[in-house]
Amino acid sequence: MKIVFVTDLHGEIWKYDRLLKAARNFGADTVINGGDMLPKTGNLFDQDKFITGYLEKHFKKAAELGISYLCYLGNDDLRIFDDFFERTCEKYRGVIDLGQRKYDIGKYEFIGMNWVVDYPFRLKDRCRMDTKDYAFQMQFGTGLLSTPDGFEELPDWFTTARTLPTIEDELNRLPKPTTMSRSIYVIHMPPYRLGLDRCGNGSEVGSKAIYNFLERNQPLLSLHGHIHESPETSGRWHANLGNTLCIQPGQLTPFTYVTIDLQAMEFDRHIEYF
Ligand SMILES: [Zn+2]
């Protein structure tokens, strides 16, 4: 089985176009798109226009190529569009919204999660405390949640967040694989301690709960994104956590993706310029 894994495309059409070319050239049967799929510039409430105006064609083409396409929205993609996104995926054969779901291809089991650990940014649609004892970062302003009528302001986000399940809780709620050693977790948020979570300013913001979950359960692979600059900042795009290989391709100006050959257990990171 051959996979192309990409993440954090944020609506960049030329990268989406290259993605299907890369999948074809590699002979991939599966594409994994690890979240933050929609444009984050301009009015976020227009993100559905990217789904209708571009993603539909992209999904159709993947389906025509016979490529399975596992994906989900990310923390910069408004939650009010989740249902619309899911219904769009369902229209195309092999296109799967993997958020908080399990999907099997052959003997491999894919499980997705797109909740993220809270950050200083205002949009809180997919934010959670990492664990019950999580210490919040300084905030850039009051929290915001998307609603069909615009943003709802959260005057006391910390109090709201304490009422929500933590990342640790969300991981425990995920569907369980039959065979952990053949499962691949697609988790937008990276784990801590492995150099996959390093921001441009040097701070490491990864999830302790995700690290502990992977260390305890030992899936075959875990695929992450979210901190676009981390591979360039830390010099690492993969790390071992026991028998689990954790991959975080990053995504800066060039188109960046990872090819995975599961039979050969070969992994390569590719960087292509416009
Ligand atoms: Zn992103």
Side-chain angles (χ1 to χ4, degrees):
M1 180 170 183
K2 287 178 155 190
I3 299 170
V4 171
F5 171 50
V6 70
T7 178
D8 297 275
L9 292 185
H10 290 282
E12 286 196 79
I13 286 174
W14 76 271
K15 293 185 178 179
Y16 273 99
D17 290 343
R18 291 280 185 95
L19 169 59
L20 292 185
K21 276 192 196 127
R24 228 171 17 186
N25 291 342
F26 183 58
D29 40 82
T30 303
V31 162
I32 299 176
N33 189 329
D36 279 353
M37 293 179 66
L38 311 178
K40 83 188 257 196
T41 48
N43 183 355
L44 295 184
F45 288 88
D46 287 338
Q47 285 181 329
D48 56 336
K49 297 194 176 93
F50 182 78
I51 299 176
T52 42
Y54 179 78
L55 271 188
E56 290 240 16
K57 279 178 274 181
H58 179 72
F59 288 161
K60 184 166 182 268
K61 200 166 167 194
E64 283 166 1
L65 292 168
I67 293 171
S68 301
Y69 197 110
L70 315 185
C71 56
Y72 49 56
L73 297 181
N75 55 282
D76 281 322
D77 306 325
L78 298 187
R79 258 181 92 186
I80 50 163
F81 297 128
D82 279 8
D83 286 343
F84 180 56
F85 177 77
E86 190 185 340
R87 275 184 279 119
T88 304
C89 291
E90 283 167 357
K91 285 161 70 174
Y92 302 97
R93 191 189 172 86
V95 179
I96 305 296
D97 180 351
L98 198 66
Q100 285 64 249
R101 290 209 185 85
K102 181 167 102 74
Y103 185 75
D104 297 351
I105 303 178
K107 60 181 181 177
Y108 296 101
E109 302 176 63
F110 295 84
I111 297 161
M113 190 187 89
N114 59 3
W115 299 109
V116 297
V117 173
D118 190 45
Y119 44 43
F121 308 104
R122 297 185 65 189
L123 179 60
K124 301 303 185 188
D125 275 9
R126 295 182 213 276
C127 290
R128 296 287 190 249
M129 293 167 70
D130 195 16
T131 52
K132 283 272 180 293
D133 60 354
Y134 178 69
F136 289 96
Q137 297 185 58
M138 278 269 282
Q139 301 286 303
F140 293 152
T142 50
L144 300 172
L145 284 183
S146 69
T147 80
D149 307 314
F151 283 121
E152 177 196 347
E153 247 187 278
L154 300 167
D156 187 357
W157 159 242
F158 297 162
T159 299
T160 306
R162 286 190 187 98
T163 68
L164 300 170
T166 61
I167 292 289
E168 188 176 27
D169 298 331
E170 299 287 6
L171 288 162
N172 290 328
R173 287 177 180 196
L174 291 176
K176 308 264 185 287
T178 315
T179 310
M180 195 49 94
S181 59
R182 284 183 194 157
S183 52
I184 296 167
Y185 280 80
V186 186
I187 302 178
H188 188 66
M189 183 80 204
Y192 81 160
R193 281 191 177 163
L194 301 174
L196 305 179
D197 64 339
R198 195 172 302 167
C199 300
N201 64 9
S203 62
E204 294 178 316
V205 296
S207 164
K208 182 172 140 185
I210 292 170
Y211 180 98
N212 291 341
F213 179 86
L214 295 172
E215 187 184 46
R216 189 172 66 245
N217 289 292
Q218 294 287 287
L220 179 64
L221 298 177
S222 73
L223 309 178
H224 310 275
H226 191 48
I227 309 299
H228 304 175
E229 68 276 29
S230 182
E232 268 64 38
T233 315
S234 69
R236 305 192 75 168
W237 60 270
H238 60 88
N240 286 94
L241 178 45
N243 293 320
T244 302
L245 177 65
C246 312
I247 294 176
Q248 209 282 61
Q251 194 62 248
L252 294 174
T253 311
F255 173 48
T256 306
Y257 62 98
V258 168
T259 50
I260 300 171
D261 182 332
L262 282 181
Q263 267 74 40
M265 284 300 271
E266 281 174 4
F267 309 88
D268 290 295
R269 182 172 180 250
H270 307 261
I271 295 180
E272 294 179 7
Y273 290 84
F274 182 74

